[in-house]
Amino acid sequence: MKQAVHFGAGNIGRGFIGALFSQSGYHVTFVDIAEGIINQLNEEKQYKVILAADEQESLIIENVSGLNNLTQEAEVIEAIKQADFLTTAIGPNILPRIAPLMAKGLAARAEAGINEKLYVIACENQISATDLLKGYILENLESGINLENVSFLNSAVDRIVPIQNNQGSLDVLVEPYHEWVVETTEDIPHIEGMKIVPELAPFIERKLFTVNTGHAVIAYFGYLAGKETIDQTLADGDIFKQVQATLGETGAYLIDRYDLNPDEHQKYIDKIIGRFENARLNDGVTRVGRSPIRKLGPEDRLVRPALQAQKAGLSYTNLAKAIAAALLFDNREDEEAVKLQEMIQKNGVANVLKEVCGLEESGELAREILKQYEALKK
């Protein structure tokens, strides 16, 4: 049977990437440190993916197993040796931690003389995530190891998977919509739900600066307004307009940068907002808003489109307001939110804009964010 090794046995791994491999006739070996989930996968050997729709359709995902990368290193290396695909859905910050083990697997593969093609794909909300992963792997690989049969392919992924109330079950609730776009000119094996494109940039930026930006805007303004869920937040007319205005700014940049059809892109924005309104997801604003330091990074969903819009001579006022709202996210249960507020208290907002967002205080964007921050605080 064809083999896929997937790092990350969480809800996105099981409910999206792993599920598509299983549906495509692959055995999926999930690699994770979550002992309970790994044991359950090995005992039950299947789980359900439930679609958050009126019909409550569910899919049974079979041919799955698990390995613990902390206690079963040799088994993980052996699984990588036999794999056709090696994928991740663990969060960009964790990629450096798994790279040493992946490097051992690739080295063992080369030393065993395995010539079959292996495709490595990082399925993360990060531009060029697979390139980053490749860099981390190469840092841990001895020189002279032959990787000519290994292809590192960048991808863009899109599926909303809310926090689950599954009480120990492997079953995962997901939205019906999903998109997995992979950049390559190679003729690679067919995977159900995977779209192959020669250039990923338009797809990943369209997704990041519509889906991820929109989600973040709803979460941060929803949090400030005391809302519980994403759909409840969008029912607030003022916030709904704020989301539309912000995605209007990212849309103007995307249309300008990639020569997109304006009418088609507006339909895409409307479709994305419609997905966010799905009450069956019951998606909390604190889940979507978590990790604000990462989300305020210079290459991420708020700062990058704002900077690009500014450089193109386009409006960025609403994006600046969204960045200000993110700076006010003080959820005490989120480690990054706590750290962010401590940084602001200790060194001030301007310093945080420089350290976290890569913005100089004298710049136009930083000045606009500071103005919006003071207005929102009142």
Side-chain angles (χ1 to χ4, degrees):
M1 195 173 199
K2 296 175 290 186
Q3 301 289 323
V5 174
H6 180 81
F7 277 72
N11 297 324
I12 293 172
R14 299 198 314 279
F16 186 9
I17 306 302
L20 292 182
F21 275 122
S22 172
Q23 290 174 283
S24 304
Y26 284 71
H27 177 92
V28 186
T29 303
F30 289 97
V31 181
D32 206 298
I33 61 172
E35 189 73 29
I37 293 176
I38 294 303
N39 289 340
Q40 246 182 309
L41 283 165
N42 291 327
E43 287 164 12
E44 299 175 16
K45 297 181 172 56
Q46 65 174 37
Y47 58 88
K48 287 181 188 172
V49 171
I50 303 157
L51 303 184
D54 293 340
E55 300 80 22
Q56 279 281 300
E57 180 189 346
S58 63
L59 309 165
I60 295 176
I61 306 304
E62 299 176 301
N63 297 314
V64 295
S65 61
L67 292 171
N68 187 319
N69 48 305
L70 294 182
T71 60
Q72 296 179 286
E73 184 175 291
E75 290 91 337
V76 174
I77 291 169
E78 187 60 33
I80 292 173
K81 276 175 65 178
Q82 307 302 325
D84 301 280
F85 280 88
L86 177 59
T87 56
T88 76
I90 52 170
N93 296 342
I94 311 297
L95 295 178
R97 298 188 206 170
I98 61 166
L101 182 50
M102 285 188 165
K104 288 179 182 178
L106 296 182
R109 205 180 158 91
E111 286 160 9
I114 295 171
N115 295 318
E116 282 77 12
K117 197 78 179 178
L118 174 67
Y119 302 96
V120 180
I121 310 173
C123 307
E124 313 290 348
N125 279 323
Q126 171 85 44
I127 293 171
S128 302
T130 306
D131 287 344
L132 289 173
L133 176 59
K134 181 180 180 180
Y136 300 138
I137 288 172
L138 292 177
E139 286 171 12
N140 289 277
L141 207 60
E142 291 181 20
S143 60
I145 299 291
N146 188 346
L147 295 183
E148 67 178 21
N149 293 316
V150 181
S151 289
F152 293 87
L153 310 178
N154 283 308
S155 80
V157 289
D158 185 8
R159 184 171 227 175
I160 298 172
V161 183
I163 288 175
Q164 308 287 305
N165 295 311
N166 44 16
Q167 291 147 355
S169 167
L170 289 172
D171 298 348
V172 191
L173 177 75
V174 299
E175 68 163 332
Y177 178 92
H178 63 77
E179 185 176 58
W180 186 13
V181 185
V182 172
E183 181 181 66
T184 184
T185 53
E186 293 184 54
D187 184 17
I188 75 171
H190 172 76
I191 303 298
E192 197 71 35
M194 180 193 286
K195 179 177 182 177
I196 304 298
V197 298
E199 186 192 1
L200 187 64
F203 289 91
I204 197 162
E205 289 215 335
R206 183 190 69 154
K207 185 265 173 176
L208 278 175
F209 302 154
T210 312
V211 180
N212 296 85
T213 304
H215 228 181
V217 173
I218 299 164
Y220 294 130
F221 282 102
Y223 181 80
L224 292 179
K227 310 291 186 184
E228 291 287 328
T229 64
I230 294 297
D231 61 290
Q232 287 171 10
T233 302
L234 274 176
D236 182 309
D238 290 337
I239 298 178
F240 188 91
K241 288 175 186 171
Q242 181 66 48
V243 175
Q244 284 187 314
T246 310
L247 295 185
E249 289 181 347
T250 61
Y253 156 66
L254 291 165
I255 290 163
D256 178 70
R257 174 71 177 82
Y258 295 110
D259 197 26
L260 303 182
N261 180 294
D263 292 335
E264 285 181 12
H265 187 67
Q266 186 57 52
K267 287 176 185 172
Y268 178 71
I269 290 173
D270 295 341
K271 179 171 71 174
I272 299 308
I273 292 175
R275 288 167 58 199
F276 294 151
E277 291 176 311
N278 185 348
R280 291 184 179 275
L281 288 169
N282 195 33
D283 207 2
V285 296
T286 51
R287 182 199 80 84
V288 178
R290 67 189 175 189
S291 305
I293 292 175
R294 175 170 63 85
K295 289 169 182 172
L296 284 165
E299 295 299 315
D300 217 286
R301 65 208 70 195
L302 296 170
V303 175
R304 182 176 166 85
L307 271 174
Q308 296 301 323
Q310 180 199 329
K311 287 176 185 174
L314 301 165
S315 171
Y316 54 87
T317 308
N318 290 289
L319 279 161
K321 191 174 180 180
I323 293 166
L327 291 166
L328 288 162
F329 183 69
D330 63 350
N331 178 20
R332 307 309 296 174
E333 294 177 10
D334 184 89
E335 191 178 322
E336 280 197 16
V338 171
K339 184 179 177 183
L340 180 65
Q341 296 312 310
E342 288 172 352
M343 291 170 71
I344 290 171
Q345 288 294 320
K346 187 177 179 181
N347 300 311
V349 178
N351 182 269
V352 169
L353 289 179
K354 183 175 182 180
E355 292 298 313
V356 174
C357 308
L359 300 173
E360 294 294 338
E361 185 179 356
S362 58
E364 289 177 37
L365 178 56
R367 292 203 307 270
E368 183 63 31
I369 295 166
L370 290 167
K371 185 175 89 174
Q372 297 287 351
Y373 181 84
E374 292 304 321
L376 282 176
K377 269 187 79 174
K378 292 174 186 173

